[in-house]
Amino acid sequence: MIYGRDREQARLGELLGTVTRGRGAALVVHGEAGIGKSALLAHLADRAGGVARVLRVTGTEAEVDLPFAALHALLHPLRDRVGSLPGPQAGALRAAFGLAAAPEGRDRFLTGLAVLTLLADAAEDRPVVCLADDAQWLDRASAEALLFAARRLQAERVAVVFGVRDGDRPFPAAGLPELALHGLDDPQSAAVLAEHGGELAPAVRDRLVAEAAGNPLTLIELARMLGPEQRAGKLPPFGVYTAASSPLGRVENAFRERIGALPERSRTLLTVAAADGTGELSLVVRAAAELGAVVADLEPVEHAGLARIDGELLVFHHPLVKAAAYRGATLARRQEAHRALAGVLASARDDEAADRRAQHLAAATTGTDEPLGSLVEQAADRAARRGAPAVAATAYERAAQLTEEDETRARRLVRAAVSAAEAGQLARAGALAERGERLATAPGLRAELAGVRAAWEFELGNAAAAGRLVVDAVGAIAGTAPEQATAMLGDAATYAYLAGDVGTLDRAQRLLTAVTTRHPELAGDTFAGVHGCALLLSGDHRGAFRLLRPTWTAPDADLVYAVFTTIISGADREGAALADEFVRHCRDHGRIGELTHALQIRTQLRILHGRHAEAEADGAEALQVAEATGHTRRADQLRGILALAAAIEGDGPRCEALAEPASRVAAGQWWAAYARGVRALGRGDHPAAVRHLTGLLTGPGGHTAVARSAAPSLVEALVRVGEHEAAAGYAAEFREWAEAGEQAWALELAHRCQALLAPAAEAEPHYRRALEHHEDGTRPFEQARTLLSYGEWLRRARRRADAAHRLRAAADLFDRLGAAPWLERAGHELAAIGARPRTAARQATVMETLTAQEAQVVRLAAAGATNRAIAAQLFLSPRTVGYHLYNAFPKLGVTSRTELARFVEVPAS
């Protein structure tokens, strides 16, 4: 019986009910050791057994660095279903389980998507409940995959429940629902003692309750420590154990005392079992035999209640017993145990045994050992190939510790740093790179380390430092590794451009010129990008655009770099096409980590192009993926971009809720400033608009694409507050950039700025030129603002019919965009001349009644994609896709997929 957990058992019952009703659920049950997590998970398993398939795994310290060990154990009953997964997902799982080689460049999150699909497929037969106890000891690769799946559960009949011990290794479950277990109260503690503690004098019982502080395991184990006279209250109940710092400390001391009372060979066998950690009985017995222990030596262990035999496994009574057995042994005894285990594993031929053997040998070694370092490095290589970069990073680091020769140690630290970066552990990667730099002398190694450190600096918001790090390192490899140098200089240019660092860009230019002079075949997109960025920063916009234009359409161009150059050039149409291609590429190849970047770019372009509903869908997905994959910086930047849509629509609270966290990162801060400026303009607060937009254009991001887009709004705000001279300066800079780039939207805005600044009698030609450019323009919100501004000018000129024509056109566009404050302003202008908009206030379109994810699913279904294809693209399960369509059909008033095409513009991806 479980005492004092009625509320917790009810919560688990609700979770099981949710799953059986067809919805996914996830939960993290956490608390200190012995508080009852395992008991609750066992209770859930018992309840679920009649209605669901239960999959269970328990994390162990011994396997924490074995890639996908826990996932393999958990999903073993479903192994026959792997072949039915979509090809890339099946390949990812086979590689994770060591059954096939991982494809080059495979995204580590694809394994998580494969887990989600596999569980969802299994749940079509009956609900599935996955229980991961001691989840803090799951290997990082397994934890990452399970957490990715758990965070994306929606319409699947799947539950994933983690049991996590507080105070041990951190478990990265942020964002998942939690159930915290606290200590029992005194009556509940007394009930536990009544069932498990035997006959106790009242005073002894009260002392036990006080000592245990509500921890059930502590209650039971402290009671077991007592002799007959102590139980009767004739002797004090505690002596030596009260010196421990906590109730759990006293329990571990008690276990050590019980272990210490065992015969020596029994203690040896327990030490070997604790060092092994897997519980594989035959392995433990064979290794213990090397140290003189035999199977019969297990009897005293079982009689003492410290461990039991369960089939082919040796199971410790509690993890604290294992900890006491291991920590209570001397260092020499622990090393003997690890060497014995490694000796037994030497005869095995599979990769898992080789990895475990390397682990044991490393644990048995305190100094350097190059042959062993090589073995550990091979284990790291295997982890990297299986798509477990976090595990690989740990193994490479341990291999480096075993290495005496500096250059080899530096090389292994490079591999550790690169693997940590691939795992998204950029802080760890930066620290490893720093250590490597102190040892490395080979220029190639130092360059690789500099690249990792630069990525970390950029993540921290130090784009200038990142650019300098890379350029400083490239000089030493320019002559010997020209391809590596060229690629790194492309990264350096991106960092330096975003930082506005002219000096670093100039150095990058000179280095790249030297490299491509000797190797003209390398003078491609990177050359154009580096020199184009430098020219943009120097103010030579025409020269920059001449270099950058060819990169937008080059057949062999680097997709990410091509998108970047279209964005900084304001090339909207080319940028939109490349962004669609980027998103499609990420989806087709399972590049989940890169998808956040692709969706972020497409989100910002779709907002600028007036496609708010699609932008919201992209942004919502990008935020979800960014948070699931730990890309917090990208998530904050996305919030800043989405704040602009909220500003245009006049949703002030949402705009501010998004802009505030966005301001934590540089690029997010720029978008937040733009959004706040547009919001202030929309509500007529021109001084606030000047403040926000001036801060953007005069700050570190003043040269970026965000600032270019915001400049015309600043010109308008400055004109409204009477600061014509300042407005003229910004307008002239924008006009020069727009004329050099020859983009219709920019030329239109340049003329609008001129119209706002011109004397009243000279403004109209500029308005007319602006509207001519609208024919090819791509930004309807700006077009509507030009029409509004022109209409205001016409009204002041008393040309009522012309004014009404322009103002109605502006109102139509504002209405379509949902730009409420701007529509209201156009309405006031029309009312001033006795006219009205053509339509009443805008009603939400049918598509806007859908959630962001429903809208995405509908668009892809309208293009003819099957549920399974949509699931693979959106990183969902087919069942969730079906659920979203089921909800969308009645909202749209349709009964079949063929009717969806009339509601949507079929997307490019």
Side-chain angles (χ1 to χ4, degrees):
M1 181 175 179
I2 301 177
Y3 292 95
R5 299 296 183 210
D6 293 347
R7 179 183 65 85
E8 291 83 356
Q9 290 179 77
R11 175 81 177 273
L12 294 177
E14 291 169 6
L15 177 141
L16 185 58
T18 297
V19 174
T20 56
R21 288 192 298 271
R23 296 288 290 161
L27 185 66
V28 179
V29 181
H30 67 93
E32 65 181 13
I35 202 68
K37 303 179 295 299
S38 297
L40 279 174
L41 264 60
H43 165 77
L44 176 58
D46 289 342
R47 285 194 60 177
V51 295
R53 182 172 200 159
V54 179
L55 304 175
R56 302 184 72 170
V57 71
T58 299
T60 65
E61 288 181 73
E63 296 189 340
V64 76
D65 291 323
L66 295 178
F68 297 110
L71 193 67
H72 195 188
L74 179 74
L75 300 181
H76 187 71
L78 305 180
R79 62 193 181 282
D80 293 340
R81 294 177 175 267
V82 172
S84 65
L85 298 178
Q89 296 180 34
L93 265 189
R94 289 193 181 105
F97 297 159
L99 303 176
E104 186 68 28
R106 178 173 65 85
D107 191 292
R108 75 187 197 276
F109 297 110
L110 188 58
T111 306
L113 178 60
V115 171
L116 174 65
T117 308
L118 184 67
L119 294 175
D121 284 356
E124 290 297 322
D125 301 334
R126 61 192 302 216
V128 175
V129 175
C130 296
L131 304 176
D133 202 2
D134 271 339
Q136 74 280 355
W137 296 123
L138 296 178
D139 63 273
R140 187 64 71 189
S142 294
E144 194 172 69
L146 282 171
L147 285 165
F148 184 91
R151 289 189 173 105
R152 298 188 77 78
L153 291 172
Q154 294 182 48
E156 303 78 12
R157 298 191 301 170
V158 175
V160 180
V161 182
F162 300 97
V164 178
R165 189 193 307 175
D166 293 340
D168 282 330
R169 186 168 176 255
F171 185 65
L176 290 183
E178 296 184 5
L179 177 60
L181 301 188
H182 302 291
L184 305 179
D185 62 24
D186 288 359
Q188 293 162 350
S189 296
V192 171
L193 281 177
E195 181 174 347
H196 298 282
E199 290 292 327
L200 296 168
V204 176
R205 180 199 61 212
D206 294 344
R207 177 69 186 278
L208 285 173
V209 167
E211 289 285 342
N215 185 288
L217 175 70
T218 307
L219 282 165
I220 295 167
E221 295 304 327
L222 290 183
R224 284 182 179 175
M225 290 164 47
L226 305 181
E229 292 184 308
Q230 289 172 310
R231 289 174 174 277
K234 296 178 181 178
L235 289 175
F238 300 110
V240 65
Y241 305 114
T242 57
S245 60
S246 68
L248 290 177
R250 289 193 278 281
V251 171
E252 185 172 335
N253 281 349
F255 286 142
R256 288 193 190 187
E257 188 78 8
R258 285 159 66 184
I259 292 168
L262 294 173
E264 183 178 350
R265 293 196 308 192
S266 296
R267 295 200 305 271
T268 296
L269 201 149
L270 264 188
T271 302
V272 172
D276 164 58
T278 67
E280 188 179 330
L281 182 60
S282 62
L283 174 66
V284 170
V285 170
R286 287 162 61 202
E290 296 293 317
L291 303 177
V294 296
V295 175
D297 294 317
L298 277 172
E299 284 189 35
V301 174
E302 292 182 274
H303 288 316
L306 295 167
R308 70 180 193 280
I309 306 303
D310 185 358
E312 297 299 315
L313 295 177
L314 188 156
V315 182
F316 283 99
H317 169 63
H318 189 274
L320 284 178
V321 177
K322 182 169 67 176
Y326 191 77
R327 291 197 284 250
T330 64
L331 174 62
R333 284 300 181 97
R334 294 200 298 264
Q335 289 180 321
E336 284 178 355
H338 284 296
R339 277 193 289 270
L341 288 161
V344 172
L345 289 166
S347 59
R349 292 291 175 262
D350 60 286
D351 286 348
E352 183 180 336
D355 291 344
R356 288 165 62 189
R357 177 171 179 262
Q359 255 189 324
H360 285 303
L361 288 172
T365 304
T366 53
T368 59
D369 184 329
E370 178 49 39
L372 177 55
S374 181
L375 279 179
V376 175
E377 183 177 18
Q378 290 169 28
D381 291 341
R382 287 190 290 272
R385 287 196 298 272
R386 291 172 65 180
V391 174
T394 299
Y396 282 127
E397 184 178 9
R398 181 67 180 113
Q401 292 167 350
L402 291 162
T403 309
E404 188 167 354
E405 196 267 318
D406 283 354
E407 206 65 19
T408 303
R409 179 179 288 193
R411 178 178 59 76
R412 289 168 176 166
L413 285 171
V414 168
R415 299 273 68 79
V418 170
S419 296
E422 288 176 0
Q425 300 172 347
L426 288 179
R428 182 186 181 193
L432 287 164
E434 264 192 283
R435 286 168 53 194
E437 278 186 319
R438 290 196 290 268
L439 297 170
T441 57
L445 286 180
R446 294 188 65 81
E448 277 195 85
L449 289 162
V452 174
R453 283 192 60 205
W456 171 232
E457 290 291 344
F458 186 67
E459 182 70 16
L460 292 174
N462 302 330
R468 287 194 298 272
L469 274 168
V470 176
V471 172
D472 287 344
V474 165
I477 64 167
T480 56
E483 289 189 19
Q484 182 186 0
T486 300
M488 290 184 69
L489 287 169
D491 293 338
T494 302
Y495 295 145
Y497 175 80
L498 291 172
D501 186 346
V502 176
T504 298
L505 254 176
D506 183 57
R507 291 174 60 204
Q509 275 193 105
R510 284 187 271 114
L511 281 167
L512 189 59
T513 299
V515 171
T516 53
T517 298
R518 291 191 297 272
H519 303 276
E521 71 279 6
L522 298 176
D525 297 335
T526 302
F527 183 91
V530 171
H531 289 279
C533 286
L535 290 173
L536 277 178
L537 277 188
S538 70
D540 183 359
H541 300 133
R542 290 187 186 279
F545 293 135
R546 276 196 301 272
L547 282 170
L548 295 176
R549 278 193 191 96
T551 68
W552 308 339
T553 55
D556 57 347
D558 177 271
L559 189 55
V560 179
Y561 212 66
V563 173
F564 171 69
T565 58
T566 61
I567 297 296
I568 64 176
S569 305
D572 279 9
R573 283 194 173 85
E574 294 84 354
L578 286 168
D580 285 340
E581 187 179 345
F582 190 12
V583 171
R584 186 165 52 247
H585 173 81
C586 291
R587 294 199 194 285
D588 289 349
H589 294 85
R591 305 296 299 172
I592 302 173
E594 288 180 23
L595 182 64
T596 53
H597 186 199
L599 287 172
Q600 172 226 305
I601 291 169
R602 199 165 74 171
T603 298
Q604 70 188 55
L605 286 170
R606 284 182 165 176
I607 290 172
L608 295 173
H609 298 171
R611 298 164 66 179
H612 289 197
E614 293 169 73
E616 289 289 345
D618 275 348
E621 181 187 4
L623 276 174
Q624 187 181 45
V625 175
E627 288 164 352
T629 55
H631 291 155
T632 55
R633 181 178 174 277
R634 184 78 64 192
D636 285 338
Q637 185 174 345
L638 272 159
R639 291 185 178 95
I641 293 166
L642 292 169
L644 178 61
I648 291 169
E649 294 166 6
D651 188 342
R654 182 166 186 261
C655 175
E656 195 53 38
L658 290 164
E660 193 278 326
S663 299
R664 294 186 293 233
V665 299
Q669 189 175 43
W670 304 337
W671 283 101
Y674 186 15
R676 285 166 167 155
V678 168
R679 181 190 171 210
L681 267 178
R683 65 176 191 264
D685 188 352
H686 300 117
V690 168
R691 185 172 67 253
H692 290 304
L693 296 173
T694 301
L696 168 58
L697 269 80
T698 59
H703 61 287
T704 62
V706 187
R708 297 291 183 200
S709 295
S713 293
L714 176 56
V715 170
E716 179 180 341
L718 287 166
V719 168
R720 301 286 185 185
V721 298
E723 295 186 24
H724 288 77
E725 185 176 346
Y730 287 113
E733 289 178 17
F734 183 81
R735 183 176 67 252
E736 193 278 327
W737 180 82
E739 290 174 350
E742 300 177 342
Q743 297 297 317
W745 72 267
L747 291 168
E748 170 221 324
L749 295 186
H751 282 290
R752 186 177 84 199
C753 290
Q754 288 303 106
L756 288 168
L757 286 161
E762 301 172 16
E764 188 165 22
H766 290 293
Y767 280 124
R768 289 187 175 276
R769 289 295 305 279
L771 293 178
E772 288 172 10
H773 288 296
H774 269 313
E775 299 301 319
D776 295 318
T778 50
R779 303 193 178 189
F781 177 59
E782 298 297 353
Q783 179 184 359
R785 288 174 59 187
T786 299
L787 286 164
L788 174 61
S789 184
Y790 188 20
E792 290 171 339
W793 182 89
L794 289 166
R795 181 183 64 78
R796 290 193 297 272
R798 301 182 183 279
R799 292 163 54 184
R800 294 162 58 97
D802 290 340
H805 171 63
R806 300 301 185 187
L807 290 169
R808 285 193 180 106
D812 288 347
L813 279 172
F814 287 137
D815 185 47
R816 179 166 69 81
L817 293 167
W822 300 87
L823 176 61
E824 184 179 358
R825 185 167 142 191
H828 288 321
E829 289 292 323
L830 283 164
I833 55 174
R836 291 184 301 175
R838 275 188 280 261
T839 59
R842 173 182 182 275
Q843 299 295 313
T845 67
V846 176
M847 281 294 288
E848 288 177 312
T849 65
L850 306 181
T851 67
Q853 203 157 72
E854 287 169 356
Q856 278 186 309
V857 169
V858 164
R859 289 189 177 92
L860 291 168
T866 64
N867 284 12
R868 204 160 183 83
I870 296 169
Q873 286 202 45
L874 299 183
F875 308 125
L876 303 170
S877 76
R879 187 180 180 90
T880 287
V881 171
Y883 173 79
H884 287 314
L885 284 174
Y886 177 82
N887 286 336
F889 275 24
K891 293 179 183 179
L892 299 175
V894 302
T895 57
S896 71
R897 299 167 82 100
T898 57
E899 299 175 76
L900 296 176
R902 61 190 170 95
F903 291 98
V904 300
E905 174 187 345
V906 175
S909 65

